[in-house]
């Protein structure tokens, strides 16, 4: 993405917030930008203002919810290409607008679509926080995502938020507790989840089991993921847009798990994934090079490991990924 496209994306975010805020709060452009005089309305102990916010929230339309979801998708695209560091302010504003809309919505028919949009945006914000090294912020965002998913009566979104939250525990040095949480997420969704989500949950369990030194459990979960993933190149689920997973993505994930387990077959799987990887997944590509470095180190192939460590460090720096840089530093100490 060129700089001009990046700036256009940021301007699009600002313009969309303006539209949403005008509709939600019932104000003009001048009032939004604080250039018009603000009339002072009488208030009866705050009830007038409260009822005004409730009326505004109850008027949230399908088009506004679509604008919220489009905003999340734009932030997701910018994140995977350029990293999370430059998106903190935009993400905070986005979550704030969604929370305001939900907090003052009264009836379930209005609350559910807004809550679903908030659940998806909060998990994205949480993963960005993990990548930036802000683990407490990540935890709080996952708690928000879980509350929103329950409000939306959306077990798939709830299971996804729980399983991703398990990564916070893993990063904090409690992988065994993370295993329990991701398994609880699997029980939460039961058979109500899509095949793509179920495969994602199994792959997440496999990875966290590998960190928890549970190799047999890890391999069983990995086999379950490989048996469940739908065929074909499609990687998005219309009911679960937070998930990117197809056979190629799962091959990369399999290589990551095998590398963690010290399995020599990891190299073959990872090179296959590198060949077919979408070039727009810049941060994920940094992780893949780190996985290859890990796999080569397990085989005492130090020259190859150094090559991939250089690539991983370059891409991690480009996206500002604290998580990936930390991993590269740890692997470099072994090289």
């Amino acid at each position: 993405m060129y700089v001009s496209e990046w700036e256009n994306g940021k301007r699009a975010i600002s313009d969309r917030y303006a539209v949403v805020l005008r509709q939600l709060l019932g104000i003009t452009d001048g009032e939004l930008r604080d250039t018009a005089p603000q009339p002072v309305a009488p208030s009866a102990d705050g009830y007038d203002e409260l009822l005004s916010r409730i009326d505004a929230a109850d008027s949230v339309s399908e088009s506004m919810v679509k604008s919220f979801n489009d905003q999340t998708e734009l932030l997701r695209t910018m994140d995977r290409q350029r990293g999370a560091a430059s998106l903190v302010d935009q993400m905070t504003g986005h979550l704030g607008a969604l929370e305001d809309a939900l907090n003052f919505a009264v009836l379930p028919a209005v609350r559910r679509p807004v809550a679903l949009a908030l659940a998806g945006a909060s998990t994205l914000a949480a993963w960005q926080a993990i990548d930036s090294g802000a683990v407490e912020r990540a935890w709080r965002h996952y708690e928000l995502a879980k509350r929103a998913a329950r409000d939306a009566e959306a077990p798939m979104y709830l299971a996804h938020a729980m399983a991703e939250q398990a990564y916070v525990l893993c990063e904090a040095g409690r992988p065994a507790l993370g295993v329990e949480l991701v398994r609880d997420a699997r029980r939460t969704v039961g058979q109500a989840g899509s095949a793509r989500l179920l495969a994602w949950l199994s792959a997440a369990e496999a990875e966290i089991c590998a960190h928890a030194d549970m190799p047999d459990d890890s391999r069983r979960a990995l086999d379950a993921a490989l048996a469940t993933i739908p065929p074909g190149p499609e990687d998005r689920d219309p009911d679960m847009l937070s998930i990117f997973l197809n056979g190629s993505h799962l091959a990369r994930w399999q290589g990551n798990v095998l590398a963690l387990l010290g399995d020599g077959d990891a190299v073959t799987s990872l090179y296959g994934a590198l060949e077919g990887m979408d070039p727009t997944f810049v941060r994920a590509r940094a992780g893949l090079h780190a996985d290859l470095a890990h796999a080569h180190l397990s085989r005492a192939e130090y020259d190859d490991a150094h090559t991939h460590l250089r690539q991983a460090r370059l891409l991690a720096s480009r996206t500002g990924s604290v998580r990936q840089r930390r991993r590269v530093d740890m692997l470099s100490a072994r090289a």
Side-chain angles (χ1 to χ4, degrees), residues 79 88 145 281:
D79 167 57
V88 174
F281 285 74

Side-chain angles (χ1 to χ4, degrees), residues 4-253:
S4 59
E5 295 175 318
W6 178 250
E7 292 300 326
N8 287 338
K10 291 173 71 176
R11 280 195 294 273
I13 289 174
S14 177
D15 292 343
R16 288 182 183 178
Y17 282 140
V19 171
V20 170
L21 287 171
R22 284 198 304 273
Q23 292 177 319
L24 185 59
L25 302 178
I27 59 179
T28 66
D29 277 342
E31 291 169 331
L32 182 61
R33 293 179 171 82
D34 205 22
T35 59
Q38 301 290 319
V40 179
S43 174
D45 297 328
Y47 284 108
D48 289 348
E49 182 180 351
L50 173 62
L51 291 174
S52 176
R53 300 290 291 273
I54 289 172
D55 289 342
D58 280 345
S59 68
V60 170
S61 63
E62 288 185 13
S63 64
M64 280 187 67
V65 173
K66 183 180 184 302
S67 293
F68 281 134
N69 287 325
D70 288 347
Q71 191 60 45
T72 300
E73 190 65 18
L74 177 60
L75 287 163
R76 182 179 287 118
T77 300
M78 294 167 73
D79 167 57
R80 76 169 183 252
Q81 294 185 13
R82 300 296 291 264
S86 60
L87 298 176
V88 174
D89 290 343
Q90 293 97 316
M91 200 73 235
T92 300
H94 185 45
L95 291 182
L98 278 163
E99 282 192 87
D100 272 352
L102 182 61
N103 285 340
F104 293 97
V106 177
L107 299 178
V110 178
R111 293 183 64 85
R112 284 181 190 134
V114 177
L116 196 64
L118 178 57
S122 297
T123 52
L124 172 61
W127 193 257
Q128 290 176 341
I130 291 176
D131 191 58
S132 301
V135 291
E136 182 177 345
R137 175 155 47 95
W139 187 268
R140 292 181 184 278
H141 284 328
Y142 281 128
E143 288 298 309
L144 176 60
K146 291 191 297 184
R147 289 195 300 272
R150 291 188 185 102
D151 210 337
E153 299 178 358
M156 287 176 60
Y157 278 78
L158 176 57
H160 177 235
M162 292 171 68
E164 277 202 356
Q165 193 174 33
Y167 279 90
V168 181
L169 294 169
C170 191
E171 295 280 331
R174 298 289 178 85
L177 188 56
V179 170
E180 291 184 36
L181 183 56
V182 76
R183 286 176 174 171
D184 196 36
R186 180 66 180 80
R187 286 189 291 269
T188 294
V189 76
Q191 297 303 313
S194 66
R196 203 175 306 279
L197 174 64
L198 296 179
W200 185 92
L201 288 169
S202 292
E205 181 181 345
E207 182 179 354
I208 297 174
C209 281
H211 281 288
D213 196 23
M214 301 165 63
D216 293 339
D217 294 76
S218 178
R219 291 180 188 277
R220 277 194 294 269
L222 191 56
D223 288 342
L226 293 167
T228 308
I229 187 69
E234 180 58 49
D235 62 0
R236 305 295 293 278
D237 189 322
D239 297 320
M240 191 77 243
L241 292 178
S242 302
I243 301 291
F244 287 83
L245 191 67
N246 58 20
S248 296
H249 295 154
L250 189 55
R252 174 172 59 86
W253 212 340

